[in-house]
Amino acid sequence: MNSLRFGRCSASIFRGRESCGADWVAWSTTEMNAFIFYVAISVAFAAVSAALVRAFAPMARGSGIPEVKTILGGFVMNEVLEFKTL
């Protein structure tokens, strides 16, 4: 899915640029349009991942370093080490 920011494979959307070969179609031939597609798709991926974290595992937001320090200090944080957060 990372290659989706640069273009698409006409044979299968799930194939990357390397595995697609001659079927690869770039989003645009000009650099400005390609940049706009790159930024738009990257922002869309980030927004989807942030929405999923906010909806299903709000304890998973952030870097996690303060939570690990707290757990190593001996405090119990029930929601931090659950399956859906990991």
Side-chain angles (χ1 to χ4, degrees), residues 1 17-19 30 34-35 37 41 44 47-49 54 58 61 64-67 69-70 77 82:
M1 293 300 287
R17 185 176 5 187
E18 296 82 19
S19 64
T30 64
F35 177 73
F37 275 110
I41 292 174
V48 167
S49 64
R54 185 175 179 151
R61 65 180 176 215
I65 295 172
E67 288 84 359
K69 284 183 170 182
T70 303
M77 297 177 72
E82 288 183 357

Side-chain angles (χ1 to χ4, degrees), residues 12-35:
S12 172
I13 194 166
F14 296 110
R15 294 176 72 185
R17 185 176 5 187
E18 296 82 19
S19 64
C20 186
D23 292 332
W24 182 258
V25 178
W27 289 121
S28 178
T29 56
T30 64
E31 289 185 23
M32 190 59 177
N33 286 343
F35 177 73

Side-chain angles (χ1 to χ4, degrees), residues 50-82:
L52 288 173
V53 168
R54 185 175 179 151
F56 296 110
M59 291 297 293
R61 65 180 176 215
S63 67
I65 295 172
E67 288 84 359
V68 170
K69 284 183 170 182
T70 303
I71 291 170
L72 291 176
F75 292 98
V76 177
M77 297 177 72
N78 294 329
E79 295 180 359
V80 173
L81 295 178
E82 288 183 357

